[in-house]
Amino acid sequence: MTDANEGSDVSRRDYLKVAGAGTLGVTALAGCMGGGGDDEDTTTDSGSDETTESMDGEDTTTESSTDYETLEVQHWWTGGDGAKAVSALFEGFKQEYPDIEVNQNPVSGGAGQNLQTVIKKRVLNDNPPSSWQAWPGANLQPYVEANKLEDIGESVWGENGMKDAYLQGPKDAAKPGGKFVAVPLNIHRLNNLFYNTKVVEDAGVDPSSISKPSDLVSAMETVESETDAVGMAHQTKSAWSTSQLWAQVLLGEYGVETYEAFTEGKVEANKDAIKDSLQIVKDFQSHFNSDAGSISWTEANKKVINGKAAFFHQGDWAAGMYRGQDGFEYESDWNHVPFPGTEGVYALNMDSFPMPTNNPSPEAAKKFLQYVGSVDAQERFNPKKGSIPPRTDVPKDEFGPFLSQQMDDFANSETQVKSIEHGLAIPPEVKSNFGDAMTTFTSGWNVDKTYKQMKRAFN
Ligand code: GAL
């Protein structure tokens, strides 16, 4: 990491204030800095596979040039969490712009649990990188309101036929305040249930027959009585994976209307559904691997790969990891079904790259963002990442059977619900409070206490 990343020990309380500053300006953002670093979310995953496999040992630095300042791009795609995909992206960029020196400066930690703190601090200090990995939409709202992002409607979105080629959803997400400020690179699906084919076959369990989340509990009991595997691989070291899981349980058990009512803050009216969904996740918890509290999501996913666990819930970035694993083949070794009860639904998440003001390398950043929005970039990155492209004109040949099916499912889906955990469906300040509630949940699995906190999240 560079100096810019040092001291990323903003306390969770302050971090949340910043994260929740959707309606506040730059003064309020600035007032939130400092503090003590007393929380797991600000701890890097050092020693985990996400760090040690970082960047596949690839040096992405190219020849420097007098025409461009160095392009610094921060992301959390290290190790099994997308390193091969992001390497492919920068390889393509290097071919197209050999004159631009690139400094990838990743901060590992699934779902941006560490990078997001670093970025907030850097932006507040007017020392942003050239661009960084960010969920688009409402997540960028605080930066827009603090005037920290630039309008790239012409300089970037005017190129490569982007305005015509992008799907409407990602296009809308790129302009949270009405102006284009970011470029989405991928679309991930969250309502997947992955499994190890051999383990479920040995157990005599048919995943496609599991029609709702609560039925998954008895399927996992069967797995555990018939095989040596645990029912579900999971990580609870950081709460985000359980937030995602709970949201899919609510969606699968109670349907799109209830899910959307929750995102609109109708918590009391859906008390029973919300509490029951928490209880179902608590029931799942007795089938998690015993080291769930101390591992990363990529380590959890390895348990599916080596047959120590049957099921796995994650976004389809999990499949990006399977694809990078030699001898672990789609269908014969791993497979997936839509999360029980969610067939016909595509639960969405995206990653994008914004353009900050006070950019250390504005010209190189524009070229990079134009590239992110191109067919070439999206064709290189998405197959390896386990995501589908937000452009409609990317050839499908490289995507393989799993992602081709995801593309079809996306095209045929009746509803595309937005992710709660990734802040596409709820405002930033609510998301922060919701994250707190889920941290409470993973600390003690107390349904009543978590429910009360969820209710307060919207006030
Ligand atoms: C998501 C992100 C994905 C993936 C995942 C795990 O938030 O959109 O690209 O990296 O986190 O870290």
Side-chain angles (χ1 to χ4, degrees):
M1 286 196 204
T2 66
D3 288 345
N5 292 329
E6 278 171 13
S8 61
D9 57 347
V10 181
S11 78
R12 179 159 175 83
R13 255 183 324 279
D14 290 341
Y15 164 73
L16 292 176
K17 274 194 248 165
V18 177
T23 55
L24 306 178
V26 67
T27 322
L29 281 169
C32 296
M33 297 309 297
D38 54 356
D39 185 83
E40 53 163 321
D41 276 4
T42 58
T43 309
T44 56
D45 262 349
S46 68
S48 84
D49 57 340
E50 292 183 2
T51 303
T52 51
E53 290 171 18
S54 168
M55 307 324 302
D56 271 347
E58 171 156 339
D59 179 4
T60 51
T61 304
T62 61
E63 294 300 300
S64 66
S65 150
T66 44
D67 295 328
Y68 292 103
E69 306 287 344
T70 300
L71 176 82
E72 184 194 357
V73 178
Q74 294 204 277
H75 56 81
W76 64 82
W77 291 320
T78 62
D81 189 5
K84 287 187 176 152
V86 80
S87 287
L89 177 81
F90 278 103
E91 210 172 284
F93 181 68
K94 191 154 79 178
Q95 275 174 27
E96 204 151 321
Y97 299 101
D99 292 349
I100 300 180
E101 186 182 340
V102 175
N103 170 20
Q104 283 184 65
N105 192 4
V107 179
S108 68
Q113 58 190 288
N114 302 316
L115 176 64
Q116 287 168 3
T117 310
V118 169
I119 292 297
K120 283 183 185 110
K121 191 162 191 172
R122 290 193 63 176
V123 171
L124 287 172
N125 288 337
D126 277 328
N127 173 33
S130 313
S131 191
W132 66 90
Q133 176 192 354
W135 303 319
N139 285 292
L140 294 176
Q141 197 71 34
Y143 294 101
V144 170
E145 285 169 13
N147 287 324
K148 297 291 186 185
L149 296 182
E150 269 197 30
D151 180 351
I152 49 170
E154 283 316 310
S155 60
V156 174
W157 279 85
E159 302 290 323
N160 285 332
M162 282 173 64
K163 285 183 184 158
D164 291 333
Y166 263 69
L167 289 160
Q168 194 59 41
K171 205 155 53 179
D172 291 346
K175 34 182 184 177
K179 290 181 179 151
F180 285 104
V181 292
V183 180
L185 173 62
N186 59 353
I187 298 174
H188 273 304
R189 185 182 194 179
L190 284 167
N191 58 320
N192 313 282
L193 182 66
F194 296 104
Y195 58 88
N196 179 304
T197 308
K198 189 167 178 305
V199 172
V200 299
E201 275 174 14
D202 286 354
V205 167
D206 173 9
S208 64
S209 70
I210 304 170
S211 56
K212 51 186 201 310
S214 48
D215 292 344
L216 194 48
V217 178
S218 62
M220 293 196 286
E221 280 163 5
T222 308
V223 165
E224 291 182 0
S225 68
E226 298 299 319
T227 75
D228 292 335
V230 296
M232 184 176 275
H234 197 64
Q235 73 83 19
T236 56
K237 186 172 157 191
S238 183
W240 63 273
S241 297
T242 309
S243 306
Q244 294 177 162
L245 179 60
W246 171 77
Q248 306 321 305
V249 169
L250 182 71
L251 186 63
E253 197 81 17
Y254 290 98
V256 172
E257 243 175 73
T258 307
Y259 179 96
E260 288 184 339
F262 174 79
T263 66
E264 287 156 14
K266 294 171 188 153
V267 179
E268 187 106 57
N270 294 287
K271 181 177 178 180
D272 293 346
I274 292 167
K275 286 181 76 171
D276 186 43
S277 303
L278 286 168
Q279 182 60 47
I280 293 170
V281 176
K282 186 176 174 176
D283 295 343
F284 289 176
Q285 189 253 333
S286 47
H287 302 284
F288 293 166
N289 40 291
S290 56
D291 56 356
S294 60
I295 62 172
S296 64
W297 80 262
T298 53
E299 289 166 312
N301 204 17
K302 280 186 187 158
K303 295 180 191 288
V304 179
I305 294 172
N306 64 24
K308 291 202 169 129
F311 293 104
F312 191 49
H313 169 260
Q314 270 297 345
D316 44 11
W317 45 83
M321 190 168 159
Y322 302 147
R323 186 172 173 142
Q325 188 73 31
D326 286 341
F328 194 63
E329 301 306 325
Y330 179 49
E331 291 181 330
S332 54
D333 297 311
W334 67 274
N335 211 331
H336 77 115
V337 285
F339 199 81
T342 69
E343 196 148 0
V345 180
Y346 211 91
L348 285 179
N349 172 37
M350 284 173 251
D351 294 291
S352 73
F353 287 87
M355 176 78 166
T357 54
N358 211 27
N359 200 306
S361 57
E363 289 315 310
K366 269 179 224 157
K367 295 291 176 217
F368 174 66
L369 296 181
Q370 286 169 8
Y371 181 67
V372 166
S374 72
V375 171
D376 188 65
Q378 296 185 15
E379 192 179 16
R380 285 170 189 267
F381 178 84
N382 286 291
K384 291 195 163 62
K385 187 62 173 54
S387 43
I388 63 175
R391 283 185 75 114
T392 51
D393 54 353
V394 177
K396 285 187 176 175
D397 324 354
E398 296 298 319
F399 283 78
F402 167 68
L403 286 174
S404 298
Q405 191 184 330
Q406 296 282 77
M407 284 188 210
D408 291 346
D409 284 359
F410 181 80
N412 298 328
S413 56
E414 291 144 28
T415 326
Q416 302 88 38
V417 298
K418 295 181 192 154
S419 170
I420 296 173
E421 168 53 28
H422 301 87
L424 272 73
I426 49 176
E429 61 273 26
V430 178
K431 181 186 155 2
S432 295
N433 300 338
F434 171 75
D436 273 354
M438 293 312 293
T439 301
T440 299
F441 190 46
T442 53
S443 313
W445 306 103
N446 185 323
V447 169
D448 287 331
K449 206 167 150 194
T450 307
Y451 169 76
K452 282 186 195 132
Q453 226 174 320
M454 276 190 177
K455 207 171 107 189
R456 284 200 304 273
F458 287 88
N459 294 333

